[in-house]
Structure formats: structure tokens, C-alpha cells
């Protein structure tokens, strides 16, 4: 199976039909479009729940774990968001698919630790939803290392990445990060703070780049500093991207995805054409 998403995501691998996905949506048009598209792309048979009672029954009648839920904010029998609250209370990863949206809604959704939200207001909505589903179901293949001397910062980033189904390791300093990288060759993304006491983010990036190139591992530098020149220094040290705190959730996830998508594309090119043809791709 091969899938190319709207944002540039590429996935080539086995079907994802083993996943149990609930679709809580009362629109016949959208249930039909989503059901057919996920079946066509990933061989997934979604379970459709057209009202709150259907959703509760779907959970109660089967002991098979629910991999992912796709839910409208409002359903018949749950006109005030009770369906979403129900899914979150059960710790079921959920993508919100909604046509009702404004800033206040967005802020409330993100406090609930949903996986993602997709708006119904454009012709690409179903394709964007399919990509979000594919990312969630395949993100566990990516191992991300967070390096930060602040326990709070490590916990926040770790929580965000685990919400998206990534495998996550953390390091409280540069020395520990280098140990983890040596022991875990599958780490494909490092997110490192700049200001750390032993080895700062620049030096850590340089040391990583001395042994692993951008075709093997991507590096995103982060900082709370107001110094806009830090991004240039990170990039010149061998980093691939840079972000200033505080993050906007959507931008953070987008930048993570873009770096991993680039890594997959580079690996694919190297596999097809041979190492020498793309050795300078960054």
C-alpha cells in the first residue's frame, strides 16, 4: 500500500486494516465519504456511530480495544459535546472532525489532549482526515529524543508527542542524550533545548552531526530566548529546524511532521538511486 498525503506525507507499507476505528458522525454524506476513503487507502472498516447511544453501545459490546475515534463535537443525544467528553474520559485517542469552529472551540479542544482536529469547511477535508489517521497509526515507527534540563519542559514535549503516538525518550542533558543516541540507533528526530548547563544545544548538534548526518536523523532546536539569531546558529551547527517557545500546538506538530517526512523521502531516494546520488541532500 502506498499513500501520499496532501502535506507531503508518504507511507508505503502493509495495510492498516487491523486497527479498530470508530466514526461518530450523523451526516450520511461524510460517513459514506470517510468510510469509503479509509477502506480504499488503508483497508480499514470503520464502525459508524450516528448518535451518542450508538457510540456507547460500540464501546460496551466489544472487548477489542479502540485504536482511534473520529468524532464530531455534537451528535444526536449529545448536543453539548458529551460524546467527545465520553471518548476522552475513556482515554480513547480522538480526532475531531467538525464544521463548528472558532478560537474558543479550538482552545477548548486542545486542553482535552485530542490527537488532531479537522475542519469540514473545504473540499480536501476527507483527504486531510485520512492523512491524520495514517499519521496516528504509523507514528509509533518514529522514535523521538527530547533533550532539555527542565523537567517541566521535558514532560510537556513528551506528553505532546505521545498524544500523537510517537515513541519518546528523554534526556536531562547533552551527555545523557549522546548515550541514548549511541544505544538507540532507531532515533530519527532530536528536539533539543539551546540553554543547557553541560553541553548546550549548539555543541550537542555538532557532536551528533559528527557521527550521524541529516539523512539519518533530524534535529530541531528550541529556545525560550528572544534572540532571533539563535535559529541561524542552530542551522549552521547542523540543525534542520528551530522553534521559539511558547509553541503553538499545530505549528509544533507540523514542523515535527515535515522533518520526519523529509527524512523518509531522503531514505526513499537513497534506497532507489543509491547512496552516492543523494549524499548531499539535507
Amino acid at each position: 500500500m502506498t499513500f501520499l498525503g496532501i502535506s507531503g506525507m508518504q507511507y508505503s507499507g502493509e495495510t492498516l486494516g487491523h486497527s479498530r476505528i470508530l466514526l461518530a458522525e450523523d451526516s450520511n454524506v461524510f460517513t459514506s465519504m470517510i468510510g469509503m476513503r479509509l477502506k480504499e487507502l488503508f483497508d480499514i472498516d470503520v464502525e459508524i456511530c450516528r448518535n451518542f447511544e450508538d457510540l456507547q453501545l460500540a464501546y460496551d459490546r466489544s472487548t477489542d480495544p479502540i485504536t482511534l475515534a473520529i468524532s464530531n463535537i455534537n451528535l444526536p443525544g449529545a448536543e453539548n459535546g458529551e460524546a467527545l467528553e465520553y471518548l476522552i474520559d475513556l482515554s480513547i485517542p480522538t480526532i475531531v472532525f467538525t464544521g463548528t469552529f472558532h478560537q474558543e472551540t479550538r482552545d477548548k479542544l486542545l486542553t482535552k489532549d485530542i490527537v488532531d482536529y479537522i475542519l469540514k469547511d473545504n473540499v480536501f477535508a476527507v483527504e486531510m482526515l485520512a492523512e491524520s489517521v495514517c499519521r496516528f497509526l504509523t507514528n509509533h515507527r518514529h522514535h523521538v529524543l527530547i533533550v532539555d534540563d527542565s523537567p517541566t519542559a521535558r514532560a510537556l514535549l513528551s506528553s505532546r508527542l505521545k498524544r500523537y503516538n510517537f515513541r519518546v525518550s528523554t534526556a536531562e542533558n547533552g551527555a545523557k542524550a549522546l548515550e541514548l543516541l549511541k544505544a538507540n540507533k532507531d532515533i530519527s528526530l532530536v528536539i533539543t533545548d539551546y540553554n543547557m548547563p553541560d553541553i548546550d544545544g549548539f555543541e550537542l548538534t555538532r557532536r551528533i552531526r559528527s557521527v550521524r548526518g541529516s539523512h539519518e536523523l533530524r534535529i530541531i532546536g528550541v529556545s525560550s530566548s528572544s534572540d532571533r539569531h539563535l535559529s541561524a546558529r542552530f542551522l549552521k551547527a547542523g540543525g534542520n529546524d528551530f522553534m521559539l517557545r511558547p509553541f503553538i500546538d499545530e505549528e509544533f506538530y507540523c514542523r515535527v511532521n515535515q522533518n520526519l517526512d523529509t527524512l523518509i523521502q531522503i531514505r526513499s531516494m537513497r534506497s532507489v538511486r543509491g547512496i552516492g546520488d543523494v549524499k548531499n541532500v539535507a
Side-chain angles (χ1 to χ4, degrees):
M1 181 197 75
T2 300
F3 171 65
L4 177 63
I6 286 178
S7 72
M9 176 192 185
Q10 294 182 16
Y11 173 68
S12 297
E14 75 277 5
T15 64
L16 303 171
H18 60 280
S19 306
R20 186 185 178 202
I21 296 184
L22 298 186
L23 173 57
E25 171 62 61
D26 60 325
S27 165
N28 290 330
V29 173
F30 280 116
T31 55
S32 177
M33 292 173 63
I34 294 168
M36 287 192 298
R37 195 59 175 148
L38 294 184
K39 179 65 175 179
E40 176 187 15
L41 291 173
F42 313 122
D43 197 30
I44 294 173
D45 293 304
V46 300
E47 300 177 41
I48 298 174
C49 306
R50 299 188 183 278
N51 53 55
F52 190 33
E53 183 180 4
D54 286 351
L55 180 61
Q56 292 172 306
L57 287 173
Y59 178 77
D60 292 338
R61 70 184 172 216
S62 176
T63 57
D64 294 335
I66 298 168
T67 310
L68 179 68
I70 303 166
S71 179
N72 201 338
I73 294 177
N74 303 312
L75 281 177
E79 287 79 7
N80 297 306
E82 295 91 344
L84 182 57
E85 294 290 346
Y86 176 75
L87 292 167
I88 298 301
D89 288 345
L90 291 172
S91 298
I92 296 172
T94 302
I95 297 173
V96 174
F97 188 63
T98 180
T100 304
F101 192 80
H102 46 75
Q103 187 63 40
E104 183 180 355
T105 304
R106 177 258 182 199
D107 294 342
K108 287 182 178 179
L109 287 176
L110 293 183
T111 63
K112 300 180 185 299
D113 287 342
I114 61 168
V115 173
D116 200 358
Y117 65 87
I118 306 295
L119 305 184
K120 298 178 179 178
D121 63 353
N122 66 80
V123 295
F124 303 111
V126 173
E127 291 302 306
M128 293 173 68
L129 177 63
E131 181 173 323
S132 186
V133 169
C134 187
R135 286 195 186 280
F136 179 81
L137 296 180
T138 59
N139 276 346
H140 68 279
R141 301 180 180 196
H142 298 295
H143 188 177
V144 183
L145 174 61
I146 299 166
V147 190
D148 201 306
D149 60 322
S150 165
T152 301
R154 290 198 306 274
L156 178 60
L157 286 180
S158 178
S159 175
R160 284 181 174 176
L161 291 167
K162 288 179 179 179
R163 181 198 314 171
Y164 305 132
N165 206 25
F166 290 106
R167 290 182 292 123
V168 180
S169 294
T170 62
E172 66 274 16
N173 55 54
K176 180 64 175 178
L178 293 171
E179 289 180 13
L180 288 171
L181 284 165
K182 186 175 181 180
N184 298 271
K185 300 298 185 182
D186 65 333
I187 292 174
S188 53
L189 175 65
V190 173
I191 302 174
T192 178
D193 187 31
Y194 152 62
N195 188 16
M196 294 185 293
D198 63 336
I199 303 173
D200 68 21
F202 300 143
E203 180 59 25
L204 176 61
T205 299
R206 292 189 191 96
R207 295 192 189 186
I208 293 172
R209 282 292 174 249
S210 70
V211 292
R212 297 187 66 181
S214 285
H215 64 284
E216 298 177 280
L217 178 145
R218 309 297 282 182
I219 302 174
I220 300 177
V222 298
S223 177
S224 301
S225 171
S226 59
D227 183 356
R228 297 179 60 84
H229 294 93
L230 288 181
S231 60
R233 294 182 63 191
F234 254 111
L235 296 174
K236 291 301 183 182
N240 302 106
D241 206 343
F242 180 80
M243 296 187 67
L244 287 173
R245 293 189 175 103
F247 305 128
I248 296 174
D249 282 57
E250 295 91 335
E251 182 184 6
F252 173 74
Y253 189 34
C254 179
R255 302 278 277 276
V256 167
N257 287 337
Q258 287 176 344
N259 276 278
L260 291 172
D261 288 347
T262 299
L263 184 62
I264 290 172
Q265 291 164 14
I266 292 172
R267 288 174 174 173
S268 178
M269 291 170 62
R270 290 172 67 87
S271 175
V272 172
R273 301 181 185 179
I275 294 176
D277 293 338
V278 292
K279 64 182 179 181
N280 294 320
V281 175

